[in-house]
Amino acid sequence: MAIRPEKMNNPADYVSQEQLDQIKANFPQLGTDPAAIRKRVEALELVLERSFVIPGINRHVGLDSIVGLVPVVGDIITAAMGAYMVWEARNLGMSKFQMTRMAANVGIDALLGAVPLAGDLFDFLYRSNTKNLRIIRKHLDKHHPETKVIEG
């Protein structure tokens, strides 16, 4: 039996609400609530900016610096991952000014990071995703204080 394209418009035809509720119960980090979004953007920032430590100089680097070494493609990939944080900010209802600042951070990182050699050094020093995480945390702490995690 072939599925006709006109019948594929509604996802509810394929997944029941009960199945969606089961997925949300098993994977709470996939939710759209502010606490789940905080966990996702913090994890993404960790992967992009602080995944590894360079021995000898004790400098944290992440995929942004490493993947950025690949000309053009690496910068496109890391810019897309940084843009995901801006998209999550939109899901939180952050102001256009905050999202514009975040998009500018990603744009500066992508544009200057694309310059051969000097861009790789720039990626090593400029942490756009950490800056964006600070903006998101400030918003969450003000508007959703229940999402704060006390670290010891």
Side-chain angles (χ1 to χ4, degrees), residues 78-90:
T78 57
M81 293 173 81
Y84 174 75
M85 289 179 78
V86 179
W87 183 75
E88 286 288 19
R90 184 192 61 85

PDB file of all heavy atoms in Angstrom, residues 78-90:
ATOM      1  N   THR A  78      29.879  24.795  12.479  1.00  0.00           N
ATOM      2  CA  THR A  78      29.864  25.416  13.803  1.00  0.00           C
ATOM      3  C   THR A  78      28.927  26.625  13.842  1.00  0.00           C
ATOM      4  O   THR A  78      28.322  26.897  14.882  1.00  0.00           O
ATOM      5  CB  THR A  78      31.279  25.803  14.262  1.00  0.00           C
ATOM      6  OG1 THR A  78      31.880  26.670  13.304  1.00  0.00           O
ATOM      7  CG2 THR A  78      32.139  24.562  14.453  1.00  0.00           C
ATOM      8  N   ALA A  79      28.784  27.341  12.737  1.00  0.00           N
ATOM      9  CA  ALA A  79      27.831  28.460  12.695  1.00  0.00           C
ATOM     10  C   ALA A  79      26.398  27.931  12.817  1.00  0.00           C
ATOM     11  O   ALA A  79      25.569  28.543  13.501  1.00  0.00           O
ATOM     12  CB  ALA A  79      27.996  29.255  11.411  1.00  0.00           C
ATOM     13  N   ALA A  80      26.120  26.812  12.188  1.00  0.00           N
ATOM     14  CA  ALA A  80      24.783  26.221  12.289  1.00  0.00           C
ATOM     15  C   ALA A  80      24.496  25.771  13.723  1.00  0.00           C
ATOM     16  O   ALA A  80      23.384  25.967  14.238  1.00  0.00           O
ATOM     17  CB  ALA A  80      24.650  25.040  11.329  1.00  0.00           C
ATOM     18  N   MET A  81      25.505  25.212  14.374  1.00  0.00           N
ATOM     19  CA  MET A  81      25.315  24.788  15.762  1.00  0.00           C
ATOM     20  C   MET A  81      25.130  26.001  16.680  1.00  0.00           C
ATOM     21  O   MET A  81      24.331  25.970  17.611  1.00  0.00           O
ATOM     22  CB  MET A  81      26.487  23.920  16.209  1.00  0.00           C
ATOM     23  CG  MET A  81      26.532  22.597  15.466  1.00  0.00           C
ATOM     24  SD  MET A  81      28.004  21.641  15.830  1.00  0.00           S
ATOM     25  CE  MET A  81      27.556  20.894  17.385  1.00  0.00           C
ATOM     26  N   GLY A  82      25.843  27.075  16.409  1.00  0.00           N
ATOM     27  CA  GLY A  82      25.660  28.300  17.170  1.00  0.00           C
ATOM     28  C   GLY A  82      24.295  28.919  16.908  1.00  0.00           C
ATOM     29  O   GLY A  82      23.669  29.475  17.812  1.00  0.00           O
ATOM     30  N   ALA A  83      23.826  28.819  15.678  1.00  0.00           N
ATOM     31  CA  ALA A  83      22.507  29.352  15.325  1.00  0.00           C
ATOM     32  C   ALA A  83      21.401  28.585  16.049  1.00  0.00           C
ATOM     33  O   ALA A  83      20.338  29.143  16.342  1.00  0.00           O
ATOM     34  CB  ALA A  83      22.299  29.295  13.820  1.00  0.00           C
ATOM     35  N   TYR A  84      21.656  27.325  16.355  1.00  0.00           N
ATOM     36  CA  TYR A  84      20.677  26.542  17.121  1.00  0.00           C
ATOM     37  C   TYR A  84      20.424  27.181  18.487  1.00  0.00           C
ATOM     38  O   TYR A  84      19.296  27.203  18.972  1.00  0.00           O
ATOM     39  CB  TYR A  84      21.161  25.095  17.275  1.00  0.00           C
ATOM     40  CG  TYR A  84      20.266  24.281  18.172  1.00  0.00           C
ATOM     41  CD1 TYR A  84      19.038  23.828  17.726  1.00  0.00           C
ATOM     42  CD2 TYR A  84      20.643  23.984  19.486  1.00  0.00           C
ATOM     43  CE1 TYR A  84      18.201  23.096  18.555  1.00  0.00           C
ATOM     44  CE2 TYR A  84      19.814  23.258  20.314  1.00  0.00           C
ATOM     45  CZ  TYR A  84      18.604  22.815  19.846  1.00  0.00           C
ATOM     46  OH  TYR A  84      17.776  22.085  20.673  1.00  0.00           O
ATOM     47  N   MET A  85      21.474  27.724  19.102  1.00  0.00           N
ATOM     48  CA  MET A  85      21.300  28.391  20.394  1.00  0.00           C
ATOM     49  C   MET A  85      20.407  29.627  20.246  1.00  0.00           C
ATOM     50  O   MET A  85      19.595  29.920  21.124  1.00  0.00           O
ATOM     51  CB  MET A  85      22.653  28.781  20.998  1.00  0.00           C
ATOM     52  CG  MET A  85      23.452  27.582  21.474  1.00  0.00           C
ATOM     53  SD  MET A  85      25.058  28.026  22.157  1.00  0.00           S
ATOM     54  CE  MET A  85      24.586  28.610  23.763  1.00  0.00           C
ATOM     55  N   VAL A  86      20.552  30.332  19.137  1.00  0.00           N
ATOM     56  CA  VAL A  86      19.699  31.505  18.885  1.00  0.00           C
ATOM     57  C   VAL A  86      18.254  31.050  18.692  1.00  0.00           C
ATOM     58  O   VAL A  86      17.322  31.683  19.179  1.00  0.00           O
ATOM     59  CB  VAL A  86      20.198  32.305  17.663  1.00  0.00           C
ATOM     60  CG1 VAL A  86      19.308  33.504  17.386  1.00  0.00           C
ATOM     61  CG2 VAL A  86      21.648  32.745  17.862  1.00  0.00           C
ATOM     62  N   TRP A  87      18.066  29.940  18.023  1.00  0.00           N
ATOM     63  CA  TRP A  87      16.726  29.398  17.818  1.00  0.00           C
ATOM     64  C   TRP A  87      16.099  29.011  19.163  1.00  0.00           C
ATOM     65  O   TRP A  87      14.920  29.277  19.408  1.00  0.00           O
ATOM     66  CB  TRP A  87      16.799  28.197  16.878  1.00  0.00           C
ATOM     67  CG  TRP A  87      15.466  27.605  16.557  1.00  0.00           C
ATOM     68  CD1 TRP A  87      14.518  28.107  15.721  1.00  0.00           C
ATOM     69  CD2 TRP A  87      14.927  26.382  17.071  1.00  0.00           C
ATOM     70  NE1 TRP A  87      13.428  27.276  15.682  1.00  0.00           N
ATOM     71  CE2 TRP A  87      13.654  26.207  16.496  1.00  0.00           C
ATOM     72  CE3 TRP A  87      15.413  25.422  17.939  1.00  0.00           C
ATOM     73  CZ2 TRP A  87      12.847  25.118  16.780  1.00  0.00           C
ATOM     74  CZ3 TRP A  87      14.615  24.327  18.222  1.00  0.00           C
ATOM     75  CH2 TRP A  87      13.340  24.190  17.649  1.00  0.00           C
ATOM     76  N   GLU A  88      16.890  28.408  20.048  1.00  0.00           N
ATOM     77  CA  GLU A  88      16.380  28.070  21.382  1.00  0.00           C
ATOM     78  C   GLU A  88      16.028  29.340  22.156  1.00  0.00           C
ATOM     79  O   GLU A  88      15.083  29.354  22.926  1.00  0.00           O
ATOM     80  CB  GLU A  88      17.392  27.226  22.162  1.00  0.00           C
ATOM     81  CG  GLU A  88      17.500  25.788  21.693  1.00  0.00           C
ATOM     82  CD  GLU A  88      16.304  24.919  22.047  1.00  0.00           C
ATOM     83  OE1 GLU A  88      15.200  25.437  22.348  1.00  0.00           O
ATOM     84  OE2 GLU A  88      16.460  23.694  22.016  1.00  0.00           O
ATOM     85  N   ALA A  89      16.796  30.420  21.957  1.00  0.00           N
ATOM     86  CA  ALA A  89      16.482  31.699  22.598  1.00  0.00           C
ATOM     87  C   ALA A  89      15.122  32.204  22.123  1.00  0.00           C
ATOM     88  O   ALA A  89      14.335  32.743  22.900  1.00  0.00           O
ATOM     89  CB  ALA A  89      17.572  32.718  22.297  1.00  0.00           C
ATOM     90  N   ARG A  90      14.840  32.014  20.859  1.00  0.00           N
ATOM     91  CA  ARG A  90      13.527  32.393  20.322  1.00  0.00           C
ATOM     92  C   ARG A  90      12.436  31.574  20.991  1.00  0.00           C
ATOM     93  O   ARG A  90      11.369  32.090  21.330  1.00  0.00           O
ATOM     94  CB  ARG A  90      13.492  32.181  18.809  1.00  0.00           C
ATOM     95  CG  ARG A  90      12.191  32.640  18.164  1.00  0.00           C
ATOM     96  CD  ARG A  90      12.070  32.168  16.731  1.00  0.00           C
ATOM     97  NE  ARG A  90      12.069  30.725  16.600  1.00  0.00           N
ATOM     98  CZ  ARG A  90      10.985  29.941  16.716  1.00  0.00           C
ATOM     99  NH1 ARG A  90       9.823  30.472  16.985  1.00  0.00           N
ATOM    100  NH2 ARG A  90      11.075  28.648  16.580  1.00  0.00           N
TER     101      ARG A  90
END
